[in-house]
């Protein structure tokens, strides 16, 4: 098969990222320096003390990291010594206030054609005959646009087992009208209590989430947001609950550097070996090494300008002026662009950009490679992210206002997008520029 036919098959249909992320606000405490300045001598003393920070003992720093389960080091490599910390984000209140709250009445939507077999399916999934009869009562079933609408009672939903919930919700997820089943809250790498430990949720609501969660691949999923909202004590708490449902986990990364750091190797890695932004990256890294008391540089300073602007932020309404919000493919293909190329919102032109500027590569991946998540059956690209280092990727998990730009572990992104077993990853790398 020719390369063009190969790419055309893979990217005949770019599908927007579907998952809405779930995030938490990082609270960074900033220390304050207070002193009474009563003379020039006092001011000079204060400035002298402030300008000579105490260097952090590497052994002390290592002990701090090992004692904190949310902090870890990436594997050693040409990218340098990367210190990583899990952070949680939630969509800001200003965004949440623009979204209408969902109805507190749960609903299940199935194709009308499945109605004759629906009772048997629900019983096989584990529902009691009484609940099945209640759900399929002709007086309560609504038929519209080729679909049937069932309305389970919240107490019945709370009573079903996790296994039954997973079986039914996996089927519901096939139909986009079931938005909270197709796009559930996903809890990755933590249990429910730990995930919401620093949230504003009441303990009884966290316990309810834990009770009504279910497994989706290797993640814990929660879809019963309407039931949860039914426990709100007022509109303010309802919006606070909805805000908590946007919680997601990312990684904040810093490069540690000292006089033992191989500056040339690190700079070469983050400039792709061709000197991209070398004039900006090398002096900054060297300054960290030469300055007492500063042992780490946020990784964002090593990344391209547009990425620095977007990282750990949410899309603003100004990004909707082109008719479509940025998705994962727009994010990945704009990675090295100083200003965003808005034509990449067009799937046809985005496909053309891949054909013309990239070539397929196999692992191990390098900085700047785009990882496309492809359907094994159709070749459609339904997600993409950019490889950074040691399985850290830059990603946006969804074309919506509630999905921020994050750094995540590649394995965690795979848990979101490859859980069905019907997808695969194909890496693409910028073609080497031919000399003029």
């Amino acid at each position: 098969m020719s390369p063009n036919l190969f790419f055309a098959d893979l990217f005949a249909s770019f599908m927007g990222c579907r998952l809405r992320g779930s995030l938490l606000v990082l609270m960074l405490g900033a220390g304050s320096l207070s002193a009474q300045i009563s003379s020039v001598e006092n001011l000079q003393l204060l400035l002298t003390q402030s300008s000579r920070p105490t260097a952090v003992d590497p052994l002390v720093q290592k002990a701090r990291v090992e004692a904190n389960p949310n902090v870890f080091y990436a594997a050693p490599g040409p990218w340098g010594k990367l210190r990583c910390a899990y952070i949680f984000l939630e969509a800001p209140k200003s965004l949440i206030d623009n979204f209408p709250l969902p109805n507190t009445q749960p609903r299940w939507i199935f194709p009308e054609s499945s109605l004759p077999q629906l009772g048997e399916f629900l019983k096989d999934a584990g529902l009691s005959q009484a609940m099945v009869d209640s759900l399929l009562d002709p007086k309560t079933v609504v038929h519209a646009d080729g679909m049937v609408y069932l309305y389970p009672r919240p107490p019945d939903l709370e009573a079903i087992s996790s296994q039954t919930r997973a079986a039914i919700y996996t089927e519901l997820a096939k139909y986009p009208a079931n938005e909270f089943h197709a796009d559930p809250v996903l809890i990755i790498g933590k249990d429910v209590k730990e995930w919401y430990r620093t949230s504003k949720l009441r303990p009884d609501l966290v316990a309810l989430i834990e009770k009504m969660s279910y497994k989706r691949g290797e993640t814990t999923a929660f879809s019963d947001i309407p039931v949860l909202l039914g426990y709100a004590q007022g509109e303010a708490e309802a919006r606070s609950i909805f805000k908590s449902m946007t919680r997601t986990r990312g990684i904040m990364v810093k490069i540690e550097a000292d006089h033992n750091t191989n500056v040339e190797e690190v700079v070469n890695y983050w400039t792709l070996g061709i000197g991209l932004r070398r004039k900006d990256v090398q002096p900054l890294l060297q300054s960290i090494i030469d300055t007492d008391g500063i042992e780490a540089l946020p990784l964002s300073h090593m990344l391209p300008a547009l990425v620095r602007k977007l990282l750990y932020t949410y899309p603003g309404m100004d990004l909707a002026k082109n008719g479509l919000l940025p998705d994962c493919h727009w994010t990945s293909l704009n990675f090295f662009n100083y200003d965003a190329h808005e034509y990449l919102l067009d799937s046809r032109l985005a496909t053309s950009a891949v054909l013309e500027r990239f070539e397929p590569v196999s692992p191990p991946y390098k900085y700047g490679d785009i990882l496309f998540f492809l359907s094994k059956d159709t070749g459609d690209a339904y997600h993409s992210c950019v490889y950074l280092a040691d399985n850290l990727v830059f990603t946006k998990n969804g074309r919506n206002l509630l999905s921020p730009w994050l750094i995540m572990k590649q394995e965690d992104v795979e848990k979101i997008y490859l859980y069905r077993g019907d997808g695969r990853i194909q890496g693409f790398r910028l073609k080497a520029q031919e000399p003029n």
Side-chain angles (χ1 to χ4, degrees):
M1 180 182 294
S2 68
N4 282 350
L5 288 177
F6 171 74
F7 283 117
D9 179 59
L10 292 181
F11 297 100
S13 170
F14 263 54
M15 299 170 62
C17 306
R18 293 171 295 177
L19 278 238
R20 185 181 58 245
S22 303
L23 299 175
L24 205 178
V25 178
L26 172 67
M27 310 299 284
L28 290 175
S32 61
L33 178 64
S34 60
Q36 182 177 359
I37 301 175
S38 57
S39 66
V40 173
E41 290 77 11
N42 284 350
L43 175 60
Q44 290 174 336
L45 178 60
L46 176 61
L47 292 176
T48 301
Q49 292 173 341
S50 301
S51 62
R52 294 179 182 176
T54 304
V56 178
D57 187 318
L59 294 178
V60 173
Q61 180 64 37
K62 181 180 179 181
R64 289 174 181 171
V65 170
E66 292 176 347
N68 189 340
N70 289 317
V71 181
F72 62 95
Y73 281 106
W79 42 77
K81 188 175 184 180
L82 303 183
R83 187 173 80 233
C84 308
Y86 286 119
I87 62 171
F88 292 87
L89 298 174
E90 286 180 1
K93 183 177 181 297
S94 58
L95 280 181
I96 296 298
D97 287 346
N98 290 325
F99 281 81
L101 292 174
N103 192 337
T104 57
Q105 170 60 57
R107 67 181 184 181
W108 295 350
I109 306 174
F110 292 93
E112 199 167 32
S113 59
S114 70
L115 188 56
Q117 299 83 32
L118 199 50
E120 195 66 30
F121 164 74
L122 294 174
K123 283 192 293 183
D124 290 344
L127 292 188
S128 67
Q129 185 63 57
M131 185 173 178
V132 172
D133 291 342
S134 174
L135 284 170
L136 298 180
D137 185 338
K139 296 191 295 293
T140 62
V141 174
V142 174
H143 298 253
D145 301 321
M147 307 297 284
V148 292
Y149 294 71
L150 312 183
Y151 298 94
R153 299 187 310 118
D156 292 338
L157 279 184
E158 293 180 34
I160 65 178
S161 69
S162 175
Q163 292 78 13
T164 296
R165 199 181 307 275
I168 296 173
Y169 289 9
T170 297
E171 183 65 22
L172 289 171
K174 297 177 181 178
Y175 314 111
N178 298 300
E179 58 175 323
F180 298 125
H181 306 91
D183 204 6
V185 174
L186 294 177
I187 298 171
I188 302 172
K190 297 276 185 180
D191 60 34
V192 172
K193 289 181 180 178
E194 180 61 23
W195 186 268
Y196 286 109
R197 182 174 57 84
T198 57
S199 75
K200 303 298 183 183
L201 291 175
R202 303 194 315 261
D204 60 309
L205 296 182
V206 175
L208 183 62
I209 295 171
E210 187 173 35
K211 178 181 179 181
M212 301 185 73
S213 62
Y214 59 99
K215 296 302 291 184
R216 198 189 81 160
E218 297 182 63
T219 66
T220 298
F222 176 75
S223 296
D224 291 299
I225 293 176
V227 175
L228 198 66
L229 290 175
Y231 281 86
Q233 297 173 351
E235 182 183 358
E237 187 182 31
R239 292 202 172 275
S240 179
I241 291 171
F242 191 66
K243 182 176 184 292
S244 297
M245 295 300 99
T246 70
R247 174 171 294 216
T248 193
R249 185 177 76 167
I251 299 175
M252 188 166 287
V253 186
K254 293 185 177 183
I255 297 183
E256 291 188 1
D258 56 29
H259 293 288
N260 296 316
T261 300
N262 186 333
V263 174
E264 183 61 29
E265 180 182 51
V266 174
V267 169
N268 189 62
Y269 181 83
W270 294 106
T271 61
L272 295 180
I274 59 174
L276 183 69
R277 293 190 63 243
R278 187 183 186 94
K279 69 178 182 62
D280 304 318
V281 168
Q282 186 168 10
L284 191 56
L285 185 62
Q286 189 62 53
S287 72
I288 298 299
I289 296 172
D290 294 340
T291 304
D292 292 338
I294 302 179
E295 81 288 348
L297 174 73
L299 181 64
S300 57
H301 290 290
M302 309 294 281
L303 303 178
L306 184 60
V307 180
R308 295 199 303 274
K309 176 182 177 181
L310 298 176
L311 188 57
Y312 310 122
T313 70
Y314 290 79
M317 288 306 298
D318 59 308
L319 290 175
K321 64 182 182 294
N322 297 295
L324 287 173
L325 285 168
D327 66 354
C328 54
H329 304 311
W330 178 96
T331 297
S332 298
L333 292 171
N334 271 307
F335 186 79
F336 287 113
N337 295 333
Y338 186 82
D339 294 308
H341 293 180
E342 300 301 346
Y343 74 87
L344 293 172
L345 291 169
D346 185 297
S347 60
R348 180 181 60 85
L349 295 177
T351 300
S352 176
V354 175
L355 284 170
E356 295 172 9
R357 294 162 41 200
F358 293 82
E359 58 187 0
V361 293
S362 300
Y365 300 119
K366 297 181 180 179
Y367 170 58
D369 290 349
I370 298 180
L371 309 185
F372 282 100
F373 291 62
L374 308 175
S375 167
K376 292 179 180 178
D377 296 328
T378 65
D380 292 339
Y382 57 87
H383 185 64
S384 63
C385 56
V386 179
Y387 188 87
L388 300 178
D390 188 38
N391 293 320
L392 298 174
V393 297
F394 175 63
T395 184
K396 187 183 189 303
N397 300 332
R399 188 198 289 270
N400 60 71
L401 293 172
L402 302 182
S403 296
W405 286 274
L406 294 170
I407 293 175
M408 296 180 65
K409 283 187 175 182
Q410 180 183 328
E411 63 192 62
D412 287 343
V413 179
E414 291 176 7
K415 290 174 184 176
I416 295 173
Y417 289 103
L418 297 182
Y419 71 97
R420 291 191 184 94
D422 58 355
R424 65 184 182 89
I425 294 176
Q426 176 63 61
F428 288 84
R429 185 170 297 160
L430 276 171
K431 295 178 181 177
Q433 295 182 349
E434 297 181 1
N436 294 330

